[in-house]
Amino acid sequence: MTLKTVIMAMSLAAAATAAVTAALPAAAQDKLTVGFSQVGSESGWRAAETKVGKMQAEQRGITFKISDAQQKQENQIKAIRAFIAQGVDAIFLAPVVATGWDPVLKEAKDAKIPVVLLDRAINTKDESLYLTAVTSDTVHEGRLAAEWLAKDTGGTCNIVELQGTVGSSPAINRKKGFDEVVAKTPGFKLLRTQSGDFTRTKGKEVMESFIKAENGGKNICAVYAHNDDMALGAIQAIKEAGLKPGKDIKVVSIDGVPDIFKAMADGEANATVELTPNMAGPAFDALVAYKKDGKAPAKWIQTESTLYLPDTAKAEYERRKDLY
Ligand code: AHR
């Protein structure tokens, strides 16, 4: 082959590649890079969300840069600024608290970087600061938990509540939904309520103090925890107080992590409302579609909330144990 034919062959190949590339949508041509400011690793659910997010990114050929904020808003703000400086294609944010985001989100908007909220909402008057929010209906989750408890106890129960992180949208809303049902159930009494910061350790500590203050736990009919990890800490505290979790004190919580299904199968927990750890999948789909045709997705992409009871706990545990 002469030099001339080699160059001609190379040009033809280049032209063919250019034609194929031009036919591809923009999002497929440029590999997307998404920066994710994750809250931290406070719960089993959070770890699963991170793991599933990585899997979902890999399936789509997206580069997913994760920054762990260790539960601090200031770290999240720094991470968002770093992502802006790197010129990522989008930013995913799981906001530790609901307020205080406008200035940094305005910086992202000015840099034309879309922001997608994952699993938690923010308080803002300017909805143009984020593209969409992929979250469950967290008020509904609180209602579901309380309605189950009302049905199970015939509407008479002295309850203690373990709240999530102060100022976070799931803590605010899961309390709101639960309180709505308490208000219309005359036999329900909320004895005590305190934050356990969504962690197993703090859930246990706070439950110990509730038990101490409530006649060694004998006044308590049920504990409602805003997540499973705090419920699992509470179960430990109940056992150490010489009582039977799931029987002497009922346990209802939110998330649907494998350990709570195990506890339900063992008779130590009574109900959980599942929160899917797959928040990133719908977020990537919305983002790719947006990058492709410029059509903004709905402002809220709602994930399902399903109540699970002990009858299916063993099977649900088996189904999830490897995912987490
Ligand atoms: O925002 C979702 C909540 O955050 C989960 O219920 C909890 O486990 C996590 O820490």
Side-chain angles (χ1 to χ4, degrees), residues 51-300:
K51 186 173 169 187
V52 174
K54 284 182 192 165
M55 283 161 42
Q56 294 288 331
E58 209 177 297
Q59 281 168 20
R60 293 166 176 82
I62 292 172
T63 305
F64 201 35
K65 297 180 169 185
I66 304 173
S67 171
D68 180 336
Q70 298 178 331
Q71 314 271 107
K72 293 197 176 76
Q73 185 176 34
E74 71 243 39
N75 290 345
Q76 295 204 288
I77 292 172
K78 273 187 209 150
I80 293 170
R81 291 203 170 118
F83 290 141
I84 295 171
Q86 291 161 31
V88 296
D89 298 297
I91 295 170
F92 286 3
L93 167 66
V96 60
V97 290
T99 55
W101 296 103
D102 281 25
V104 76
L105 294 190
K106 173 102 181 29
E107 290 170 36
K109 189 182 171 189
D110 291 345
K112 301 200 178 353
I113 298 175
V115 173
V116 177
L117 304 177
L118 290 199
D119 75 83
R120 294 186 182 184
I122 59 168
N123 293 349
T124 179
K125 288 202 176 81
D126 184 358
E127 285 204 338
S128 77
L129 293 178
Y130 61 91
L131 181 67
T132 184
V134 182
T135 74
S136 60
D137 181 341
T138 43
V139 178
H140 178 60
E141 289 168 346
R143 264 188 228 121
L144 274 180
E147 279 162 3
W148 169 79
L149 190 61
K151 201 167 158 205
D152 190 71
T153 59
T156 304
C157 189
N158 286 340
I159 305 156
V160 294
E161 177 184 38
L162 294 167
Q163 294 186 39
T165 301
V166 175
S168 68
S169 68
I172 297 164
N173 293 336
R174 287 172 183 169
K175 171 153 194 58
K176 187 172 173 228
F178 194 86
D179 284 355
E180 275 175 20
V181 179
V182 171
K184 57 183 186 198
T185 311
F188 267 6
K189 192 167 171 215
L190 193 56
L191 294 179
R192 286 170 194 275
T193 178
Q194 199 179 312
S195 173
D197 208 13
F198 281 132
T199 70
R200 210 175 276 215
T201 314
K202 287 199 188 142
K204 179 170 185 269
E205 267 170 38
V206 177
M207 190 64 194
E208 281 167 355
S209 70
F210 286 167
I211 290 171
K212 215 168 152 196
E214 294 298 342
N215 191 22
K218 292 187 189 73
N219 296 347
I220 305 171
C221 146
V223 54
Y224 162 50
H226 289 190
N227 80 346
D228 289 344
D229 276 73
M230 292 190 294
L232 289 158
I235 288 171
Q236 199 53 41
I238 296 167
K239 283 194 205 171
E240 285 174 18
L243 297 170
K244 289 193 181 71
K247 295 180 184 72
D248 296 328
I249 298 181
K250 291 182 189 286
V251 180
V252 54
S253 54
I254 296 163
D255 273 358
V257 300
D259 284 357
I260 205 75
F261 283 109
K262 192 164 184 314
M264 283 205 281
D266 294 344
E268 294 184 341
N270 308 83
T272 188
V273 179
E274 185 192 37
L275 174 69
T276 176
N278 184 14
M279 297 283 159
F284 284 134
D285 289 344
L287 178 69
V288 170
Y290 174 67
K291 291 271 177 192
K292 188 178 151 197
D293 58 21
K295 203 172 151 255
K299 243 6 207 196
W300 183 21

